[in-house]
Amino acid sequence: MITFTDLANHARAALARSGPVQSEWRADPADRVEWAAARFDGGDHAGAAEELVACLDGWLPKEFAAVAPRVLTGEQAVRVATAALDGEHPYRPLVSGRNDPDHAVAGTLARLAAGDPDAEAALLRAVLVVRPNEDRGLAHLRVARISAVFAVLAEAHVGEPAYLDRWSALLHEDDRPRLAAAAALLGPLGLAEADRRCGTVEDVDGERLVVAFRTAGRFDDAFALAIRLGSNQQQRALLTLATPGLPAARAKALVAAFRKCPKSGRGRDEQMIYQHRFAQLFLALDRVDDALAVLSRMRDCRVSGYGPGPLARELLRWLGGRREAATPERLRAVLDVLADPRVIPQELAAVVVEAVPLVHALADGQLRAELVDVRVPRLRARLRRVRLWQLLADVGLGAALVDAGDVTALDSVCAQAVSGPPEVRLCLVLTRLAGRTGLLARDRELFTRLVGGVLRDGGWSVADALLATLDAEARMVVPDAVAALPAVDHRRVVVPVARFAEQVGDAGLLAAMLDAVPDAKNARRVAGRAAMALARCGELPDALDIARHCGLVSGSHSGVTSPSPGSSRTP
């Protein structure tokens, strides 16, 4: 068991061992926001607010959107939102390159300002400013931030339609369509009133308003608006209106409207996106045979990810939730599509691991035998050009046999997966399945090598995808797996693992990453996670001391204090 004192000392030792960083190094903005959240969770609300306000001195990461409304409340939230209006934050996205309302910093500022009339008005005046080139090529940036603010403020004032008049008074005639983003207020009023107030409902706000009409019980208004939208927005909006049990007349109108729905282009990908969504519409209406008919007509769609392979998997998932509908004929129809050359090998490889066990679980005895003897070999033959793809077909069959009771059915595939340079994707799939096979107890070394095969990717998303599937016992192999990695992979993976360990409260794994960290910059990021863990548990003196050395606190310095006595409680 790792005590708080142990964890703090591991962090200080890592910082001392790694030495100083270059003077221009700065803590990651997301780490600074998460440090503020950790202080808040540990009960230091004033300190958390101070840290979060300090984050306004630079670019705001997406984490700020979730943390700020939790940490900053009341008058303090209003002050922060108002202060932010003097800089660039109201005009920036939370994610670089994502210039849609969902990623606008202005939406987060609206959550902080909501409820204060003066702050709301000041924010609206700020986002309505036309900045350089926003009357031409960059107009979409302005639209996104205004829509974000109206959407949030409308949700804060549900049931108070008088706000629509107040906001309209701030708008120039050309900006009237922007009010459509206030969907939470316009939904109960209906489409005619929305048109009267907004003039035109544009695509950027249309889908949100369709959902608001539907929620308010105004299906006809939602439908009428949906068929006015652009191609992609219209397809998605119609799909949101499809639900099981929908009255026959409305279901018929939805299908007819979708048949007439324009595609976004003449290319194959655009055509197949439309077909995929059409099949989803049929599934939402419980019309599985119509969805199968759409699947049978689909062709290769290698760019968008909307090809027949993903749709086949979606159909099998749908059948998995409705076993009475999973007839052998329908299952064979899906398998026929997967074996067809129209499903390109890389797309088949992406779905075969899930598709085969789904069919096996739903099939009768005859189809199960056919699956093992004929169907899977046929799929494997289609994947023969790439060893990884062939092994994924074997994993699919092995997973089906594991579900049927043979816990050793995947052992040979696991051994093949680590016999040469490990394939990250294959190792990830096998590691996820290993919990059902008891591989850790039966062959700890093989399990550790699979984990290492995943972690050598070094990516945050891959590390999270792996670690989230491991229980506390399985996570005990992670330090050994990390230690066995080549130096370049080792350096990249310690921070994602430490981040996960801090988030789930695994102090032992976090301490192991502190011991393994190979360089000064990563030492500060990993030690910063230790500071967050300590702060969440109320160990603020040690947390603050370590956080300062990691650049998480304003006025940080580069020295490292010696290990100090402290609480012996375990995290």
Side-chain angles (χ1 to χ4, degrees), residues 169-405:
L170 299 173
L171 298 176
H172 185 275
E173 178 65 20
D174 292 342
D175 283 330
R176 282 180 62 205
R178 303 284 70 78
L179 195 61
L185 289 177
L186 289 170
L189 303 182
L191 181 57
E193 181 65 10
D195 284 340
R196 185 185 73 81
R197 289 178 176 276
C198 306
T200 301
V201 177
E202 297 179 358
D203 290 347
V204 67
D205 302 312
E207 290 179 77
R208 182 186 289 113
L209 194 50
V210 166
V211 173
F213 288 147
R214 183 200 64 193
T215 302
R218 292 179 169 271
F219 181 92
D220 292 340
D221 284 343
F223 180 75
L225 176 57
I227 61 178
R228 283 166 34 181
L229 301 178
S231 57
N232 272 320
Q233 293 80 9
Q234 184 175 154
Q235 291 171 25
R236 292 194 296 260
L238 290 172
L239 189 52
T240 66
L241 297 180
T243 55
L246 196 68
R250 287 180 171 175
K252 182 178 180 181
L254 274 182
V255 172
F258 208 97
R259 290 190 193 281
K260 298 177 183 178
C261 190
K263 290 80 171 176
S264 58
R266 295 185 177 182
R268 183 181 295 181
D269 276 74
E270 290 83 356
Q271 299 293 318
M272 292 305 104
I273 289 172
Y274 167 83
Q275 294 290 343
H276 191 119
R277 289 173 177 161
F278 203 1
Q280 290 177 316
L281 182 87
F282 283 129
L283 289 178
L285 296 172
D286 282 341
R287 293 173 56 172
V288 63
D289 289 324
D290 289 316
L292 283 167
V294 173
L295 175 64
S296 70
R297 297 191 299 267
M298 290 189 72
R299 302 167 64 195
D300 164 26
C301 183
R302 66 189 63 200
V303 176
S304 66
Y306 280 83
L311 179 56
R313 176 175 57 192
E314 197 166 337
L315 269 159
L316 289 173
R317 289 172 177 172
W318 189 93
L319 290 169
R322 299 160 182 81
R323 296 186 68 93
E324 71 284 354
T327 64
E329 293 75 21
R330 287 170 175 158
L331 295 173
R332 286 189 174 92
V334 176
L335 289 170
D336 287 342
V337 169
L338 290 175
D340 192 283
R342 288 175 299 168
V343 179
I344 55 177
Q346 54 264 47
E347 191 177 85
L348 174 59
V351 303
V352 69
V353 170
E354 186 176 354
V356 172
L358 279 170
V359 173
H360 193 272
L362 297 168
D364 58 17
Q366 181 179 351
L367 181 54
R368 284 188 176 185
E370 180 183 329
L371 185 69
V372 173
D373 297 335
V374 178
R375 296 287 186 162
V376 171
R378 187 178 298 170
L379 297 177
R380 195 176 193 279
R382 292 213 54 237
L383 300 171
R384 64 184 178 275
R385 286 188 298 171
V386 178
R387 175 177 177 268
L388 166 63
W389 296 347
Q390 281 190 316
L391 288 175
L392 286 171
D394 294 338
V395 172
L397 179 57
L401 298 177
V402 166
D403 289 342

Side-chain angles (χ1 to χ4, degrees), residues 98-102 104 106-107 139-149 178 204-205:
R98 297 297 299 272
N99 295 311
D100 56 285
D102 291 340
H140 63 285
L141 304 180
R142 181 171 179 270
V143 169
R145 67 175 181 262
I146 298 171
S147 291
V149 171
R178 303 284 70 78
V204 67
D205 302 312

Side-chain angles (χ1 to χ4, degrees), residues 10-19 21 479 482-483 487 489-498 509-528 550:
H10 276 276
R12 291 189 175 97
L15 293 169
R17 184 178 67 248
S18 65
V21 293
V482 171
D489 300 321
H490 181 276
R491 183 177 298 110
R492 289 186 301 162
V493 79
V494 289
V495 176
V497 173
L509 181 56
L510 181 52
M513 293 304 101
L514 287 164
D515 293 343
V517 70
D519 59 276
K521 290 182 179 179
N522 283 326
R524 273 143 188 81
R525 296 201 69 182
V526 175
C550 300

Side-chain angles (χ1 to χ4, degrees), residues 22-54:
Q22 296 175 347
S23 59
E24 67 270 16
W25 182 83
R26 294 292 182 272
D28 185 273
D31 288 350
R32 293 180 64 192
V33 171
E34 293 188 64
W35 160 245
R39 292 188 69 168
F40 183 84
D41 292 341
D44 182 14
H45 294 186
E50 182 180 345
E51 298 285 13
L52 206 56
V53 171

Side-chain angles (χ1 to χ4, degrees), residues 410-411 413-418 422 426-455 465-482 484-485:
L410 285 169
D411 286 6
V413 187
C414 291
Q416 292 180 70
V418 297
L426 178 61
C427 290
L428 177 59
V429 170
L430 289 169
T431 306
R432 285 174 164 175
L433 291 168
R436 287 149 53 184
T437 68
L439 181 63
L440 175 61
R442 294 186 293 107
D443 194 332
R444 186 183 183 89
E445 180 184 356
L446 179 56
F447 181 78
T448 303
R449 293 174 67 189
L450 285 174
V451 170
V454 181
L455 293 177
L466 165 70
L467 297 170
T469 66
L470 304 182
D471 59 21
E473 182 180 5
R475 289 198 299 268
M476 292 177 68
V477 310
V478 172
D480 290 338
V482 171
L485 294 176

